[in-house]
C-alpha cells in the first residue's frame, strides 16, 4: 500500500485507506498549484528579459548569445536532473528547483550590467519544477488514475502561461522590470513554502523505494555509460536525429520570438503579454481537443510525418508574414505541428527503451500522459524523471543552444523571411525522408 508520507515510524498507528487517500489528494492538489505557479513565474520572466536586455544595450546577436547560454546550461542540467530525481526523490528535486528559481529572479532583479544577464541564467541548471511535479503525481496516483492525474498538468501549464504573460506585461508597463522580477522571486518563495508544507519526504511505496535504491546504489548522477547504453536500443538514434534536425528550424523561431515581437512587430510589453496569452489558449485547445482523437486514430509514424509536413508549410507562411494578424493565423498550425511532433517523438523514444529507464511506472502510463499533455517552451522537461526522459529534455536544450546563434545570424543578415524559409526547406527534406519507406513499398505492391 502506498503512503503519501513514506514509511511510517515503528509503532506509529497505520492510517486507514480513506485517510491515506485524503492525504494523497491533498498532496496532488498542492502539486497542481505549485506547477501552475511555476509556469506563471516562468512566463513572467519571459516578459522581463527581452525588454531589460534592450535597455542594457543588447542587439539581436547578443540576445541570441544569451539564449544560447540558457541552452548550454540546461543541456548539461537535463540528464543530471533526471538522474538526480531518480536517486534522491521528487521532494528534494522540487525543493532544489524552487530554490534555484528564487535565486534566478533575485539575480534578474539586480541585473544592471550586460554581464549580470548572463550570470542570472546560471540557476536554470536546476530549474525543473515540472518534472519533479510529474514524479510526485505519478508516485501518489493509482495506476488506473495516473494518466488523468498527470494530464491535468497540461491545464496547469495553460493557466500559468495565460496568467504569467498577462501579469508580466501589466507589471512591466506600470512598475518596471525590477519590480516584476521581485514579484517572481516572492512567488517562487511561496512555491517553496508550499513544497516544504505539503510534499512528503518520500512519495514512493516502501517496495518501490527499496527497489529504486538497489538499482541506483552504484550509479552516479551523470553516467555517460548509461546514456550510451540507451542510445543502442533500436530506433533511438534515428528518432533523436529526426527530433534534432526537424526541430532545429522551429526551435530557432521559438527562441527568437521575443526579439522578433520586440524588433520586427514593435510590440509593447502589455501587447506581447496578450499575444503570449493567445499562445496559451491555442495550446490548451489543441492538447485538450485535438491530440487525443489523432493519437487514437493514426499511427505514430503517420503523425510524425504529418507534423513535419505541417511545420514545413508553417515555415513558408512565416517567411511572408508582415503583421501581427498574419502571425496569429500561423500560430494555430504552428502549435499543432509542435504539439504532435514533440509528443510523438518523445513517445517513440520512451517506447524504444525498457520502462525501468523511463521512470518508475510503465510506458503505458507515460504514453497516455504525453499524448494528453504538451508544453510549448520545454515540452520534454516534464518527462525527464528518468534517464531517457532527461535525454529528451536535452534535445530541447540542444536546440536552444544552437538555435539562438543561428537565428540571430539569419535575422540580422537576411531578415525574418530567412528563418521561415530555412524551416520550410529543412522540414520538407525530413518529410521526404520519412515518406521514403512508404514510397519504396508502393512499387512492390503493384508488382
Amino acid at each position: 500500500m502506498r503512503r503519501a508520507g513514506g514509511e511510517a515510524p515503528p509503532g506509529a498507528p497505520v492510517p486507514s485507506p480513506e485517510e491515506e487517500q485524503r492525504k494523497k489528494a491533498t498532496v496532488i492538489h498542492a502539486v497542481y498549484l505549485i506547477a501552475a505557479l511555476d509556469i506563471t513565474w516562468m512566463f513572467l520572466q519571459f516578459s522581463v528579459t527581452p525588454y531589460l536586455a534592450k535597455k542594457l544595450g543588447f542587439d539581436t546577436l547578443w540576445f541570441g548569445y544569451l539564449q544560447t547560454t540558457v541552452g548550454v546550461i540546461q543541456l548539461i542540467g537535463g540528464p543530471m536532473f533526471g538522474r538526480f530525481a531518480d536517486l534522491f526523490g521528487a521532494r528534494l528535486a522540487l525543493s532544489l528547483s524552487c530554490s534555484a528559481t528564487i535565486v534566478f529572479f533575485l539575480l534578474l532583479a539586480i541585473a544592471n550590467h550586460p554581464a549580470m544577464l548572463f550570470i542570472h541564467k546560471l540557476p536554470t541548471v536546476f530549474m525543473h519544477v515540472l518534472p519533479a511535479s510529474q514524479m510526485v503525481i505519478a508516485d501518489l496516483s493509482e495506476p488506473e488514475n495516473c494518466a488523468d492525474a498527470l494530464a491535468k498538468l497540461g491545464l496547469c501549464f495553460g493557466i500559468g502561461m495565460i496568467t504569467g504573460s498577462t501579469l508580466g506585461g501589466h507589471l512591466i508597463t506600470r512598475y518596471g522590470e525590477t519590480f516584476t522580477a521581485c514579484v517572481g522571486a516572492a512567488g517562487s518563495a511561496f512555491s517553496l513554502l508550499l513544497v516544504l508544507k505539503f510534499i512528503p519526504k518520500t512519495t514512493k511505496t516502501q517496495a518501490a523505494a527499496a527497489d529504486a535504491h538497489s538499482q541506483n546504489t552504484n550509479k552516479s548522477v551523470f553516467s555517460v555509460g548509461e546514456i550510451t547504453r540507451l542510445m543502442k536500443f533500436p530506433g533511438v538514434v534515428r528518432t533523436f536525429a529526426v527530433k534534432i534536425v526537424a526541430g532545429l528550424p522551429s526551435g530557432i523561431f521559438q527562441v527568437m520570438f521575443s526579439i522578433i515581437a520586440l524588433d520586427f512587430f514593435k510590440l509593447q510589453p502589455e501587447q506581447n503579454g496578450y499575444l503570449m496569452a493567445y499562445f496559451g489558449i491555442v495550446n490548451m485547445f489543441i492538447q485538450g481537443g485535438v491530440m487525443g482523437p489523432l493519437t487514437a486514430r493514426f499511427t505514430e509514424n503517420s503523425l510524425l510525418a504529418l507534423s513535419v509536413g505541417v511545420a514545413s508549410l508553417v515555415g513558408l507562411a512565416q517567411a511572408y508574414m508582415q503583421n501581427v494578424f498574419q502571425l496569429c493565423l500561423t500560430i494555430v498550425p504552428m502549435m499543432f505541428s509542435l504539439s504532435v511532433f514533440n509528443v510523438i517523438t518523445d513517445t517513440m523514444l520512451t517506447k524504444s527503451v525498457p520502462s525501468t529507464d523511463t521512470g518508475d511506472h510503465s510506458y503505458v502510463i507515460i504514453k497516455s500522459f504525453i499524448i494528453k499533455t504538451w508544453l510549448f517552451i520545454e515540452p520534454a522537461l516534464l518527462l525527464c524523471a528518468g534517464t531517457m526522459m532527461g535525454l529528451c529534455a536535452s534535445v530541447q536544450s540542444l536546440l536552444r543552444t544552437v538555435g539562438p546563434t543561428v537565428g540571430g545570424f539569419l535575422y540580422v543578415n537576411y531578415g525574418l523571411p530567412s528563418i521561415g524559409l530555412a524551416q520550410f526547406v529543412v522540414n520538407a527534406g525530413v518529410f521526404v525522408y520519412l515518406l521514403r519507406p512508404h514510397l519504396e513499398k508502393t512499387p512492390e505492391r503493384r508488382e
Side-chain angles (χ1 to χ4, degrees):
M1 180 180 294
R2 283 191 253 201
R3 296 179 183 173
E7 183 180 1
V14 178
S16 65
E18 293 77 11
E19 182 181 355
E20 194 169 307
Q21 288 300 322
R22 283 196 299 270
K23 289 182 178 180
K24 289 181 181 180
T26 300
V27 174
I28 290 176
H29 291 153
V31 170
Y32 288 146
L33 178 58
I34 292 168
L37 289 174
D38 178 68
I39 296 300
T40 300
W41 314 137
M42 181 175 72
F43 278 93
L44 192 76
Q45 178 269 144
F46 291 157
S47 301
V48 173
T49 304
Y51 296 94
L52 181 59
K54 186 178 181 180
K55 280 188 177 181
L56 296 177
F58 276 56
D59 58 14
T60 302
L61 281 177
W62 274 101
F63 187 78
Y65 297 150
L66 180 65
Q67 296 292 82
T68 296
T69 302
V70 179
V72 171
I73 294 172
Q74 292 199 327
L75 179 64
I76 297 171
M80 291 181 63
F81 186 83
R83 294 296 302 145
F84 179 88
D86 281 342
L87 293 171
F88 300 108
R91 184 190 182 184
L92 187 57
L94 263 176
S95 300
L96 177 63
S97 296
C98 291
S99 301
T101 307
I102 297 172
V103 176
F104 173 87
F105 275 109
L106 291 176
L107 291 175
L108 181 61
I110 63 175
N112 57 3
H113 188 275
M116 284 299 299
L117 273 185
F118 285 92
I119 293 173
H120 102 277
K121 299 294 186 183
L122 295 178
T124 58
V125 70
F126 301 120
M127 289 170 55
H128 302 298
V129 171
L130 284 171
S133 300
Q134 187 264 348
M135 288 187 65
V136 174
I137 293 174
D139 287 337
L140 298 182
S141 301
E142 298 300 328
E144 62 272 16
N145 299 323
C146 188
D148 288 335
L150 288 168
K152 292 177 182 176
L153 280 176
L155 179 61
C156 295
F157 181 87
I159 293 173
M161 185 177 186
I162 296 170
T163 305
S165 301
T166 306
L167 180 63
H170 281 283
L171 289 177
I172 292 175
T173 301
R174 288 161 175 76
Y175 305 105
E177 291 85 359
T178 300
F179 179 82
T180 305
C182 290
V183 171
S188 301
F190 178 68
S191 298
L192 178 60
L193 292 178
L194 290 177
V195 171
L196 298 177
K197 173 67 176 177
F198 292 102
I199 307 302
K201 184 176 181 180
T202 177
T203 56
K204 298 183 183 296
T205 63
Q206 181 179 355
D211 182 64
H213 177 74
S214 64
Q215 291 182 8
N216 293 318
T217 299
N218 299 319
K219 293 183 180 180
S220 62
V221 171
F222 182 77
S223 175
V224 176
E226 189 73 7
I227 294 174
T228 304
R229 181 181 68 85
L230 294 178
M231 295 298 289
K232 292 180 180 179
F233 285 100
V236 171
V237 173
R238 174 183 177 273
T239 305
F240 261 112
V242 171
K243 190 174 183 67
I244 293 172
V245 174
L248 178 59
S250 58
I252 290 176
F253 183 83
Q254 291 177 56
V255 298
M256 291 297 296
F257 179 77
S258 296
I259 201 67
I260 290 172
L262 177 64
D263 184 67
F264 185 83
F265 294 111
K266 309 297 182 183
L267 296 181
Q268 297 302 312
E270 195 168 348
Q271 296 171 323
N272 188 51
Y274 291 141
L275 183 60
M276 293 304 297
Y278 172 65
F279 272 82
I281 293 171
V282 174
N283 179 41
M284 292 176 67
F285 170 76
I286 291 175
Q287 66 181 347
V290 177
M291 290 302 301
L294 277 180
T295 52
R297 183 171 181 178
F298 300 101
T299 65
E300 293 167 356
N301 287 327
S302 299
L303 290 176
L304 180 59
L306 174 65
S307 66
V308 173
V310 172
S312 179
L313 297 177
V314 169
L316 185 62
Q318 289 174 346
Y320 294 99
M321 65 183 179
Q322 297 295 324
N323 52 55
V324 176
F325 176 73
Q326 293 174 352
L327 170 65
C328 291
L329 292 180
T330 66
I331 285 176
V332 175
M334 181 184 73
M335 297 292 286
F336 170 81
S337 63
L338 287 171
S339 297
V340 176
F341 179 78
N342 285 289
V343 164
I344 295 303
T345 52
D346 289 342
T347 300
M348 295 173 72
L349 285 171
T350 54
K351 190 176 182 179
S352 300
V353 300
S355 60
T356 54
D357 295 301
T358 57
D360 295 322
H361 298 269
S362 69
Y363 165 71
V364 175
I365 294 177
I366 296 171
K367 179 178 178 181
S368 299
F369 167 57
I370 60 181
I371 282 174
K372 294 182 178 181
T373 306
W374 177 79
L375 305 182
F376 172 59
I377 300 298
E378 288 288 345
L381 283 180
L382 191 56
L383 301 175
C384 67
T387 306
M388 173 53 72
M389 295 173 184
L391 291 176
C392 292
S394 294
V395 172
Q396 300 299 319
S397 299
L398 176 63
L399 299 182
R400 293 182 65 185
T401 301
V402 180
T405 302
V406 176
F409 174 81
L410 290 175
Y411 183 76
V412 169
N413 292 279
Y414 304 104
L416 179 60
S418 63
I419 298 178
L421 291 175
Q423 179 172 331
F424 169 69
V425 172
V426 172
N427 280 272
V430 176
F431 180 71
V432 173
Y433 169 77
L434 293 174
L435 288 183
R436 189 182 61 178
H438 301 283
L439 298 176
E440 291 176 351
K441 291 179 180 179
T442 302
E444 296 177 2
R445 292 179 179 177
R446 289 177 181 175
E447 292 178 2

